[in-house]
Amino acid sequence: RFLSALASLRVKGAISSQHVPKVVYTPLNGTGLELMKRALRQEGIVDIKVVSAQAAPDGNFPTCPRPNPELPEAMELGLRLAYATDPDVFIATDPDADRMGTAVAHDGKFTLLSGNEMGVLLVDWLAQVHLGAGEDLGEKVVVSSIVTTDMLDPLAAHYGFQLRRTLTGFKNIGGQIAVLEKTGGIDRWLMGFEESYGYLPGAYVRDKDAISSCTLFVEMVGWYLQRSLDLVQVMERLYRRYGYYLTRTLNFAFPGAAGAQKMKKIMEYLRKDQPKTIGGSHVVTTVDYLKKTAMPMVGGHIEDLPQFLPISDVLEWHLEDGCKLIIRPSGTEPKIKCYLFADADTRAQATAALDSLENSLSGLLDKQ
């Protein structure tokens, strides 16, 4: 039933017999191997090389102590096999096979794609496909979190789909499927994704799913291969068209009971003593998610009822130079997470803006 659900999402003609992507894959000693191979073969992908040392399920993760596809070190063995065998793409799924990390061949090297870049590429490609099929994108819905790239906003403006922003966590993103279901519009679902490498192109589950994400990713690779493009080239085109929307996530650890108290005091003081400038730029808007906050919805032409986000210990600042900073305590670890956003005409300008934001964080987090 699951494989049938994947087949129903297939983009016809995405993979041609002359342009069948070659794949290197690792399940990182997790659960993904069986379904991934069956799903890819269902797509006509037969050249699948698996990282042998990471093929069998092993909860000790002997080759990779932190089997997280967001981390470059988790991708090391797979990249070695990729350089030795010259595929079009390298794919890794995390141990429970709900997140994927990827690298694509470009100019003789394998370039890792970030979670935000992959999400933007998939949304842009799906929008092109649906437009090409004559569908009305004004009825479609894309869902992401408040800490996911702002590059989705100009995509929504360009293609006309509705973009919804939820709190972090796929329970919130996937929860929008239930909202659509109640209003009779589940077919409106186009895709959900978050910056931490989780994607859901279908509405048959309510959580991120690496198997369907990987099959869609390989279809997208095949579609662009027919047009003599790799995904690094496509992403660069998108940056040049919409702007260099770059992000950076930083974690600051506060271990133990004393650390928990310090995190609480930091958030309290940030609310009490609101910063006027951050990174040399004036704060123009502050959003405190401990207060009732309307869910951001932009684009689309269906008048949906407004929704409100659950109360959450999150602070967001919009700056005069177009940058943005979001700070929140982690819900699972003794950390404060800081999300930095910049948008500029060039990569160098956006990177410099992120550096400036990062340099300002120590002052903000030293508040007691």
Side-chain angles (χ1 to χ4, degrees):
R1 289 174 60 197
F2 177 78
L3 291 170
S4 295
L6 295 193
S8 71
L9 299 175
R10 184 177 298 152
V11 175
K12 294 180 180 178
I15 297 176
S16 73
S17 57
Q18 291 79 31
H19 299 88
V20 181
K22 296 177 290 184
V23 176
V24 163
Y25 169 66
T26 176
L28 295 176
N29 293 118
T31 62
L33 183 62
E34 177 63 23
L35 267 178
M36 184 63 71
K37 288 196 299 185
R38 291 174 65 182
L40 291 178
R41 286 171 181 160
Q42 186 172 266
E43 293 286 339
I45 310 298
V46 294
D47 193 342
I48 308 168
K49 294 180 175 60
V50 179
V51 180
S52 59
Q54 297 175 330
D58 187 340
N60 293 313
F61 306 111
T63 67
C64 181
R66 300 174 66 198
N68 179 351
E70 293 182 71
L71 303 175
E73 58 265 32
M75 309 290 272
E76 185 177 340
L77 282 183
L79 286 171
R80 285 186 204 170
L81 182 58
Y83 277 108
T85 58
D86 194 29
D88 296 295
V89 295
F90 161 54
I91 302 171
T93 55
D94 68 342
D96 57 349
D98 62 2
R99 296 189 300 146
M100 73 165 182
T102 60
V104 298
H106 173 71
D107 285 348
K109 297 181 179 180
F110 284 90
T111 300
L112 293 168
L113 296 171
S114 73
N116 277 322
E117 288 175 331
M118 175 57 66
V120 165
L121 285 164
L122 287 172
V123 169
D124 178 75
W125 177 63
L126 285 174
Q128 292 183 65
V129 167
H130 283 273
L131 275 180
E135 296 185 41
D136 183 0
L137 279 180
E139 297 182 356
K140 295 295 184 180
V141 174
V142 172
V143 184
S144 69
S145 72
I146 58 173
V147 300
T148 302
T149 176
D150 287 342
M151 197 171 185
L152 286 174
D153 291 72
L155 260 70
H158 177 75
Y159 288 110
F161 59 77
Q162 183 187 90
L163 173 63
R164 300 181 183 183
R165 300 275 190 180
T166 70
L167 294 181
T168 56
F170 232 91
K171 67 178 182 180
N172 297 304
I173 294 172
Q176 288 299 302
I177 298 175
V179 173
L180 291 173
E181 194 172 44
K182 288 177 182 177
T183 58
I186 197 167
D187 290 338
R188 294 176 62 196
W189 180 266
L190 184 65
M191 184 179 163
F193 89 92
E194 58 188 359
E195 92 296 341
S196 54
Y197 292 59
Y199 318 91
L200 182 61
Y204 48 86
V205 293
R206 307 295 155 94
D207 201 354
K208 52 190 176 289
D209 170 32
I211 308 299
S212 62
S213 303
C214 290
T215 55
L216 190 72
F217 163 64
V218 173
E219 284 187 354
M220 178 172 63
V221 170
W223 195 83
Y224 281 116
L225 281 176
Q226 294 184 59
R227 290 153 179 82
S228 300
L229 291 168
D230 63 54
L231 294 187
V232 174
Q233 294 170 315
V234 177
M235 193 66 226
E236 188 62 26
R237 288 185 178 187
L238 293 175
Y239 280 134
R240 290 175 180 173
R241 180 184 303 164
Y242 298 111
Y244 283 83
Y245 286 82
L246 303 188
T247 62
R248 189 177 296 171
T249 302
L250 301 171
N251 297 298
F252 296 87
F254 296 89
Q261 285 300 312
K262 187 170 184 179
M263 288 195 297
K264 182 179 179 181
K265 287 183 178 180
I266 288 172
M267 297 304 292
E268 287 175 350
Y269 273 89
L270 285 174
R271 287 187 167 89
K272 181 181 177 182
D273 186 17
Q274 290 281 346
K276 303 295 189 296
T277 62
I278 301 175
S281 182
H282 290 288
V283 175
V284 293
T285 306
T286 299
V287 183
D288 184 351
Y289 290 89
L290 277 183
K291 300 176 181 178
K292 188 176 182 180
T293 305
M295 174 185 289
M297 290 188 186
V298 299
H301 60 223
I302 294 178
E303 293 295 325
D304 290 300
L305 293 175
Q307 298 182 55
F308 292 89
L309 299 176
I311 300 299
S312 186
D313 190 8
V314 182
L315 284 167
E316 175 178 307
W317 294 283
H318 296 251
L319 309 182
E320 193 173 36
D321 62 2
C323 291
K324 185 171 73 176
L325 173 64
I326 297 178
I327 293 181
R328 71 177 181 92
S330 170
T332 57
E333 299 175 284
K335 296 178 180 177
I336 283 183
K337 299 179 74 72
C338 301
Y339 303 87
L340 288 57
F341 302 78
D343 167 30
D345 293 333
T346 69
R347 183 180 296 274
Q349 290 171 339
T351 300
L354 290 178
D355 291 341
S356 180
L357 278 178
E358 182 172 347
N359 291 334
S360 71
L361 284 178
S362 58
L364 283 175
L365 299 184
D366 281 344
K367 288 176 177 280
Q368 299 291 319

